Amino acid sequence: MDKDQILLTSRIRLARNIEGYPYPGAMTLDQAEELREKITDTLHEHEDLWTLYQLKDGSLKNLYDLEENLISMALLKNRDRGAYFLADDHRSVMMMEEDHLRIQAMKKGFHLDEEYDTVAALARFFEEKLPVSYHEELGYLTACPSNVGTGLRAGCMLHLPALDTLGMDKIERSITRMGFVLRGMRGEGSKIVGHMYQLSNERTLGLSEEEFLKRAKSISQEVAALERIKRKEMYLDHLIELEDMARRSYGILRNARIITFEETMLHLSHMKLGIDLSVLKPMRDFDLYDAVIHMGKAHLQMERESFLDDRSSNIYRANKVRRFIKEVF
């Protein structure tokens, strides 16, 4: 992983649907159960790799996997129809989310080719076993027209504190013109917090999967390069402001007694930028993505093995982040 950790994670997702069944939003419970069984039977020959998880209301495991970006909020909303499989810490198959199948892989660092190979191989496996909905002119058919064609979403999560601070408007417009989009950490509809952006293709029709993948790699690298340029600009032209921002964030995290996840993300982001630009001198560096993810409410609840209300989780998080700061500095 690069020292500056701008390209935090790589993520590939393919949407597929099975002929003869309505899309999940129009399915009956019996239809959903029947199709889940077919998909489960298909994966049976690889049962040593995959673990099935039902969507039980209030499950700590489900919320944990949501924070890990292994499943989506849309899947959790389909509790009565959906379920999911996990193979390891970066591969998942969601059943009855917006589409019958959402096959995805996510890994820390810049590994789009590797993750695409993993997901594409699994998609081909399903296509050999099940009658997948496909149109000769349009490609793969999906519940939402914006996914028709390849059904592919390819992109990276990027840490962009300098661009975010000095101005993102021109970059966002340029990315949009190229058919890509910047969203929050949780994807569509999520807020931008901690200067973390999810970049992915907005169109899935008109190019092959490989061509969309090539563009995703190129644009991600270009944005990361622009972030590095803006970081140098911050250091050369705004050093006092940079030092103030990083040191304030260090002070807040070092002394907080109650703190929200969003505030924690913001201050960890400022601290990481300060470390990368040698404004802060820690005993050791830290992995920003890991630090952020492990401060999420579901991760705290898994540690405690119990549900926490917002106030309790904010107090527990503050205790944890203070210990973390002492370890780093």
Side-chain angles (χ1 to χ4, degrees):
M1 182 177 288
D2 292 339
K3 179 180 180 297
D4 56 23
Q5 296 177 29
I6 293 172
L7 292 158
L8 297 178
T9 65
S10 306
R11 182 168 173 258
I12 299 288
R13 189 209 73 199
L14 284 171
R16 297 291 185 261
N17 289 281
I18 312 305
E19 288 183 354
Y21 291 90
Y23 294 123
M27 271 183 156
T28 66
L29 294 178
D30 287 342
Q31 288 172 324
E33 183 178 356
E34 180 181 306
L35 185 52
R36 280 201 311 270
E37 288 179 1
K38 284 188 177 181
I39 294 169
T40 301
D41 289 343
T42 299
L43 276 177
H44 183 70
E45 61 187 82
H46 296 295
E47 62 182 353
D48 56 322
L49 297 176
W50 297 91
T51 302
L52 174 64
Y53 292 94
Q54 301 290 345
L55 294 171
K56 299 176 181 177
D57 190 36
S59 167
L60 285 178
K61 174 61 176 170
N62 296 163
L63 297 174
Y64 178 92
D65 290 333
L66 176 65
E67 283 189 352
E68 289 280 343
N69 291 304
L70 290 167
I71 62 174
S72 67
M73 184 58 71
L75 180 67
L76 289 185
K77 289 178 180 177
N78 275 353
R79 291 183 189 279
D80 56 343
R81 292 172 173 79
Y84 62 101
F85 287 92
L86 299 183
D88 45 37
D89 63 351
H90 74 110
R91 286 183 291 169
S92 63
V93 176
M94 293 185 283
M95 295 186 289
M96 285 11 102
E97 192 228 35
E98 186 176 74
D99 293 289
H100 297 151
L101 287 169
R102 289 282 177 95
I103 307 160
Q104 67 174 23
M106 190 189 80
K107 193 172 184 179
K108 288 197 301 180
F110 192 55
H111 305 288
L112 282 173
D113 283 327
E114 178 184 335
E115 297 306 278
Y116 172 73
D117 290 344
T118 297
V119 171
L122 186 54
R124 287 193 296 271
F125 169 79
F126 279 115
E127 289 167 37
E128 290 168 2
K129 304 289 184 179
L130 297 167
V132 172
S133 298
Y134 186 85
H135 188 277
E136 295 222 354
E137 292 184 10
L138 295 175
Y140 294 100
L141 301 179
T142 56
C144 180
S146 65
N147 291 318
V148 168
T150 60
L152 172 74
R153 299 288 180 182
C156 294
M157 186 183 300
L158 298 104
H159 179 225
L160 306 175
L163 282 170
D164 209 359
T165 301
L166 299 178
M168 286 285 295
D169 292 346
K170 289 183 180 179
I171 300 220
E172 287 187 284
R173 287 196 296 269
S174 177
I175 288 171
T176 300
R177 285 195 296 270
M178 291 186 282
F180 280 69
V181 64
L182 286 169
R183 295 189 171 105
M185 185 178 179
R186 303 294 177 204
E188 189 171 359
S190 62
K191 297 188 300 182
I192 307 296
V193 289
H195 311 297
M196 291 188 183
Y197 287 81
Q198 194 79 255
L199 184 149
S200 65
N201 56 301
E202 193 165 32
R203 293 188 294 108
T204 60
L205 186 64
L207 297 173
S208 67
E209 291 175 9
E210 291 76 11
E211 288 170 321
F212 276 123
L213 180 66
K214 184 178 179 180
R215 288 194 179 189
K217 288 165 57 183
S218 175
I219 294 170
S220 297
Q221 289 173 317
E222 288 176 17
V223 174
L226 287 170
E227 169 68 16
R228 293 186 182 99
I229 290 170
K230 289 297 182 181
R231 290 186 181 195
K232 290 180 182 178
E233 181 181 325
M234 283 188 78
Y235 186 83
L236 293 173
D237 299 337
H238 306 282
L239 181 58
I240 295 299
E241 291 85 354
L242 173 63
E243 288 181 337
D244 183 71
M245 182 174 69
R247 293 179 185 280
R248 280 177 186 266
S249 288
Y250 166 79
I252 289 170
L253 295 182
R254 178 67 180 80
N255 295 286
R257 292 300 184 268
I258 183 167
I259 193 166
T260 66
F261 176 67
E262 291 77 11
E263 190 180 3
T264 303
M265 281 186 66
L266 177 65
H267 294 307
L268 285 173
S269 170
H270 290 167
M271 275 182 44
K272 186 67 177 72
L273 179 63
I275 291 170
D276 290 344
L277 295 179
S278 301
V279 168
L280 296 178
K281 306 286 186 180
M283 291 188 296
R284 65 169 179 83
D285 201 352
F286 65 92
D287 185 302
L288 178 63
Y289 182 76
D290 275 352
V292 164
I293 287 293
H294 286 90
M295 294 298 173
K297 185 175 180 179
H299 281 69
L300 303 182
Q301 291 178 147
M302 287 289 282
E303 284 183 18
R304 290 289 301 269
E305 298 182 339
S306 64
F307 287 98
L308 299 168
D309 60 27
D310 288 343
R311 180 176 180 275
S312 297
S313 64
N314 291 343
I315 293 171
Y316 187 77
R317 182 181 298 108
N319 291 335
K320 183 174 181 177
V321 81
R322 289 199 311 276
R323 292 194 301 270
F324 172 76
I325 296 302
K326 286 181 180 179
E327 291 170 2
V328 171
F329 289 90

